[in-house]
Amino acid sequence: MKDFLNKLVNQQSLTLEEMHDATRQLFAEETSHAEIGAFLTALRAKGESADEITGLVNIIREKSLTVPHKLDHVMDNCGTGGDGSQSFNVSTTSAFVIAGAGIKIAKHGNRSISSKTGSADVLEHLGVSLQFNGEQMNELLEDNGIAFLFAPHVHPALKKIMSVRRELRIPTIFNLIGPLTNPMELDTQLLGIYRRDMLDMMANVLHRLGRKRAIVINGAGSMDEASLAGENHVTLLERGELVRFTLTPEEVGLPVYDNEIIKGGDAQENAAILYNVLKGEKGAHRDTVLLNAGLAIFASGTAETVQDGVAVAKESIDSGAALAKLEYLVNYSKKAHKAV
């Protein structure tokens, strides 16, 4: 660990192989909290490289709960958090809309870290279990088209590192990698990030992780979601190539709303917003979900354009298909709880 720390302190990036070795040392029992903290701080001060992010994610996934699947096309949609917007659970709500459109979603998420309410908090309030095993996740993905993977449950080896992260109280590489560590093999992904300067880097990381197609987005106001407040900056990964473009709500037939309008609250309030959107309630919450779900549907390759994706998202909600995905997940959770 000392050699890696010296290299980072001297503003030198670690190679992919070195990051693999360093991450394995982070997980080792003999590695102290002080060493972990020093490594994460030095990495943050230098600035994370694509090799370092990829290497860390590779080893985290290597040590995570194994969730193999035999499905041809699975995606995830998630933001890194950290944008300070306090928005409602946009990506979680959008996940049910995407699933309602016939796309398999392995939704990876956690409790609140940088926002008031994390995906796990709101889903738990709605009655969704956070303790599905690998077999149940596969069954849900195959039969319902959406499964929830609770991060602490599928990444038990991260407990010690998360303790250090809380003690540090500064952003580290772990504030960037949450959406990348999904233990399921994903074909496509929609990734929101609060740092516009990292759009291309994160798209390159997704390519290294095996995504065939993906979108990385930084929303208006530096949100880690697509925003209806103005211009969104997007990098599309397509067969290893990067395509950059901007997107405004007007371009896809949606109204403009200030980001303040989509602020959320506690788990109860955000659960109500999620449920009401899936029930068809009109307004800023629905339109924000339509934009994000439409982008994800486009990212998956199901729609030719983002505007087509928005139209598919509308049909998913208005037909009741999106709500049915949530209801199935809640009912499955109840049955699984009774069986224990």
Side-chain angles (χ1 to χ4, degrees):
M1 185 61 78
K2 183 180 177 182
D3 290 340
F4 298 138
L5 278 171
N6 282 332
K7 195 169 182 180
L8 294 175
V9 168
N10 288 319
Q11 295 294 300
Q12 295 177 322
S13 293
L14 303 183
T15 66
L16 182 66
E17 292 72 21
E18 286 174 330
M19 194 63 185
H20 286 162
D21 290 342
T23 305
R24 289 192 177 99
Q25 288 191 40
L26 291 180
F27 281 111
E29 284 187 21
E30 61 270 19
T31 304
S32 69
H33 281 211
E35 288 175 305
I36 295 171
F39 181 84
L40 296 179
T41 302
L43 194 61
R44 163 76 177 182
K46 178 192 68 68
E48 301 85 353
S49 70
D51 272 345
E52 288 163 345
I53 294 172
T54 305
L56 178 65
V57 170
N58 283 342
I59 303 307
I60 289 174
R61 294 185 73 246
E62 181 183 280
K63 292 182 175 293
S64 67
L65 177 72
T66 302
V67 193
H69 65 79
K70 298 179 181 179
L71 299 171
D72 290 333
H73 190 106
V74 179
M75 80 173 299
D76 192 5
N77 71 315
C78 191
T80 57
D83 62 8
S85 68
Q86 304 297 325
S87 60
F88 76 101
N89 299 89
V90 177
S91 64
T92 307
T93 311
S94 300
F96 292 103
V97 179
I98 299 161
I103 299 163
K104 304 291 186 185
I105 288 279
K107 185 75 180 83
H108 184 248
N110 207 339
R111 294 196 183 277
S112 172
I113 295 175
S114 61
S115 61
K116 289 183 181 178
T117 309
S119 55
D121 300 307
V122 73
L123 290 177
E124 185 178 49
H125 188 84
L126 287 163
V128 175
S129 173
L130 305 183
Q131 302 298 321
F132 296 127
N133 60 36
E135 184 180 336
Q136 291 169 323
M137 291 173 193
N138 274 315
E139 187 177 326
L140 282 165
L141 199 58
E142 190 164 339
D143 296 344
N144 189 42
I146 182 169
F148 183 66
L149 288 70
F150 181 42
H153 180 57
V154 297
H155 302 298
L158 279 175
K159 189 174 181 180
K160 183 169 110 175
I161 296 174
M162 291 302 99
S163 174
V164 175
R165 184 183 168 195
R166 284 191 294 271
E167 291 170 8
L168 282 175
R169 297 184 181 181
I170 61 169
T172 69
I173 191 171
F174 281 89
N175 291 80
L176 301 171
I177 64 162
L180 305 174
T181 60
N182 193 318
M184 283 200 178
E185 292 297 327
L186 304 177
D187 299 283
T188 57
Q189 188 160 357
L190 174 66
L191 169 62
I193 185 164
Y194 67 98
R195 286 181 56 180
R196 190 165 295 172
D197 62 310
M198 294 190 72
L199 283 169
D200 286 4
M201 180 190 289
M202 294 301 270
N204 277 317
V205 171
L206 288 170
H207 175 58
R208 296 177 191 209
L209 294 174
R211 309 295 187 265
K212 299 178 180 68
R213 183 176 162 100
I215 278 179
V216 186
I217 183 159
N218 175 258
S222 291
M223 284 189 69
D224 71 329
E225 315 274 6
S227 166
L228 293 169
E231 190 173 69
N232 298 276
H233 289 251
V234 183
T235 296
L236 168 68
L237 168 69
E238 174 70 62
R239 296 190 181 92
E241 300 295 322
L242 303 185
V243 180
R244 302 165 192 86
F245 62 95
T246 58
L247 183 72
T248 64
E250 296 95 331
E251 290 176 74
V252 293
L254 291 171
V256 175
Y257 293 100
D258 190 276
N259 286 336
E260 286 289 315
I261 297 176
I262 60 167
K263 278 192 172 182
D266 60 16
Q268 182 176 356
E269 184 178 344
N270 283 11
I273 292 171
L274 185 155
Y275 187 77
N276 288 336
V277 168
L278 299 189
K279 284 282 287 182
E281 184 178 279
K282 303 290 178 67
H285 295 130
R286 170 189 165 102
D287 290 336
T288 300
V289 168
L290 290 177
L291 179 59
N292 281 273
L295 261 170
I297 292 166
F298 170 66
S300 76
T302 304
E304 289 291 324
T305 66
V306 179
Q307 189 158 10
D308 290 343
V310 170
V312 173
K314 286 180 180 176
E315 176 61 21
S316 174
I317 294 174
D318 295 340
S319 67
L323 181 60
K325 299 298 181 182
L326 171 62
E327 291 173 339
Y328 188 105
L329 195 54
V330 171
N331 289 330
Y332 186 98
S333 297
K334 289 177 181 175
K335 292 175 185 175
H337 181 70
K338 287 179 181 178
V340 174

